[in-house]
Amino acid sequence: MLSDKSRPVIEATLPLVGSRIGDITPKFYARLFAAHPELLDGLFSRSNQRNGSQQQALAGSIAAFATHLVNNPGTLPETVLSRIAHRHASLGITEPQYKVVYEHLFAAIAEDLAEVITPEIAEAWTEVYWLMADALIKLEKGLYAAQANGRMWAPWRVAAKAPAGVGSMTFTLEPADDTPITEALPGQYVSVKVQLPDGLRQVRQYSLSGEAGTSRSFTTKKDDGGEVSPVLHNNVQVGDILEISNPYGEITLKEGDGPVVLASAGIGCTPTASILRSLAATGSDRQVLVLHAESTLDSWALRGQMTDDVERLDGAELQLWLEQPADGAKEGFMSLREVDLPADASLYLCGPLPFMKSIRNEAINAGIPATRIHYEVFGPDIWQAS
């Protein structure tokens, strides 16, 4: 917990630091990569640096963590920390790297706030950083220890590569060596590492879209704004070897017999499709409501898999929204105001951030408690960081 000495200092300086953190983080990354250019090879995303999303993610998480400590003394924002820890573990973040980040982050803070920072302010924000870092280190050690192997990366062979709707592709993998396989849970993701044409290695997380357990398949949209997916689509062929992480992600199907609502948009259907497949594979008798939004019917990456699984479940129903209408689909954007939500439902969300923000707000207004709304964010989560 935040000390009594630091709490009033953080409370007094939070507005200033919060207003400047968006300017501090670019300076931090410039310092970090100047001192450690190797971190861009196989760890940090170059495209996320270019578009600013990595800076937003760091700025949002630090500000949100400090705000939580001020507003909720004695507790930590466990949900947000868990999400960050899973993402870090999927990249292989190690404890010594937190010291490297601290060194360059606080040098950037000192530079940006040189006219106002005092030793007392620096000490208080140092405490905030290490409270967050120590909590993440502990969580990440637990995640690493839970894996079936002690390796960050294992080789997997591409067994199949098949189109999945307009502009998307499904990759099915098989083990390429005898590394013990960690069983994946429905809704989890893996990191995939590839070498770009300029020789730099880059990593991207992809939700597992098919069977969970020891199998691995994921579906990618070629034009997703990153550098990894185009390489997978254009250069990777059946028989090629990919470096794959163990599965991570805490947004998985919770045990129980209550109703399940799976709401997705675009390529965000991949984790909900995995959850739906697990329900169908086990012959679940839970009530399942599948909600999906797309631009066109042909763009729906996992249309066949998801419609088949809905048909396999007696208690499942599918509702579809399309920007370009087709028979049986609603026109426009998804809205829960048009849906008769089951009582006591658990909602699983994945899609673009504005979509998830809108649907989450509608779900809460409809009476679904926030504790039963589960979502995965592949990017800065500043809209719901606390």
Side-chain angles (χ1 to χ4, degrees):
M1 64 182 67
L2 190 62
S3 68
D4 291 340
K5 177 182 178 182
S6 293
R7 187 170 183 270
V9 178
I10 296 302
E11 189 170 13
T13 57
L14 184 55
L16 173 62
V17 175
S19 69
R20 295 299 305 163
I21 196 72
D23 297 288
I24 292 169
T25 49
K27 296 175 182 177
F28 153 66
Y29 281 112
R31 287 176 172 273
L32 178 68
F33 296 135
H36 297 277
E38 72 279 3
L39 294 178
L40 274 172
D41 184 27
L43 184 59
F44 283 91
S45 167
R46 183 167 62 180
S47 61
N48 286 346
Q49 291 297 318
R50 289 171 177 164
N51 63 30
S53 62
Q54 185 66 56
Q55 290 90 328
Q56 283 183 287
L58 178 61
S61 62
I62 293 174
F65 185 80
T67 300
H68 181 95
L69 293 180
V70 168
N71 295 336
N72 304 275
T75 69
L76 296 175
E78 294 180 359
T79 300
V80 173
L81 288 174
S82 177
R83 188 177 301 126
I84 296 172
H86 275 270
R87 194 62 48 83
H88 282 182
S90 78
L91 294 170
I93 298 294
T94 61
E95 183 174 353
Q97 289 169 335
Y98 281 93
K99 296 179 181 179
V100 174
V101 167
Y102 170 79
E103 174 188 352
H104 296 287
L105 177 60
F106 275 75
I109 291 174
E111 174 189 349
D112 190 84
L113 301 177
E115 296 182 359
V116 297
I117 198 165
T118 65
E120 183 183 36
I121 293 173
E123 181 182 356
W125 279 95
T126 294
E127 183 180 344
V128 168
Y129 175 85
W130 282 111
L131 280 172
M132 185 173 181
D134 289 342
L136 288 172
I137 289 168
K138 180 179 179 180
L139 289 171
E140 289 154 20
K141 285 182 176 179
L143 291 173
Y144 291 137
Q147 301 298 332
N149 59 75
R151 299 180 60 177
M152 177 56 218
W153 302 100
W156 287 71
R157 182 177 295 103
V158 178
K161 175 184 178 182
V166 176
S168 297
M169 194 78 68
T170 293
F171 295 82
T172 302
L173 310 178
E174 59 186 15
D177 68 2
D178 58 359
T179 299
I181 300 172
T182 300
E183 289 206 14
L185 299 174
Q188 289 192 307
Y189 55 82
V190 294
S191 289
V192 180
K193 184 189 294 185
V194 301
Q195 188 171 41
L196 302 183
D198 63 4
L200 190 72
R201 295 176 300 169
Q202 288 284 270
V203 178
R204 191 174 180 90
Q205 287 94 9
Y206 295 106
S207 296
L208 297 169
S209 55
E211 297 280 356
T214 57
S215 64
R216 299 288 186 267
S217 63
F218 60 88
T219 303
T220 77
K221 184 179 180 182
K222 180 179 180 180
D223 185 17
D224 61 7
E227 295 185 277
V228 176
S229 292
V231 171
L232 291 172
H233 280 243
N234 296 332
N235 301 347
V236 172
Q237 304 300 328
V238 173
D240 288 350
I241 303 296
L242 294 175
E243 290 186 89
I244 306 293
S245 75
N246 286 305
Y248 291 96
E250 87 282 25
I251 307 303
T252 60
L253 180 63
K254 305 299 186 286
E255 294 184 0
D257 54 8
V260 175
V261 179
L262 305 173
S264 58
I267 199 63
C269 66
T270 51
T272 58
S274 176
I275 292 173
L276 178 61
R277 170 125 301 184
S278 72
L279 290 166
T282 58
S284 174
D285 57 3
R286 298 175 72 169
Q287 182 182 0
V288 181
L289 180 57
V290 180
L291 311 176
H292 184 65
E294 274 291 352
S295 55
T296 68
L297 192 60
D298 290 341
S299 299
W300 187 1
L302 295 169
R303 175 186 173 190
Q305 175 181 321
M306 294 180 72
T307 54
D308 287 349
D309 287 340
V310 167
E311 291 177 359
R312 292 166 62 190
L313 287 167
D314 292 336
E317 176 190 352
L318 170 66
Q319 295 186 32
L320 179 66
W321 285 257
L322 298 174
E323 294 177 42
Q324 298 182 20
D327 290 343
K330 301 177 183 180
E331 182 176 357
F333 300 103
M334 183 189 299
S335 173
L336 297 187
R337 291 188 295 271
E338 307 172 28
V339 179
D340 184 15
L341 293 171
D344 301 323
S346 293
L347 172 63
Y348 295 82
L349 273 173
C350 192
L353 213 54
F355 161 81
M356 291 197 294
K357 182 176 181 179
S358 173
I359 297 302
R360 183 180 183 275
N361 287 338
E362 289 186 359
I364 290 175
N365 290 337
I368 297 181
T371 53
R372 292 211 305 269
I373 301 175
H374 315 285
Y375 60 92
E376 186 59 79
V377 179
F378 289 91
D381 186 13
I382 56 177
W383 63 275
Q384 181 58 26
S386 61

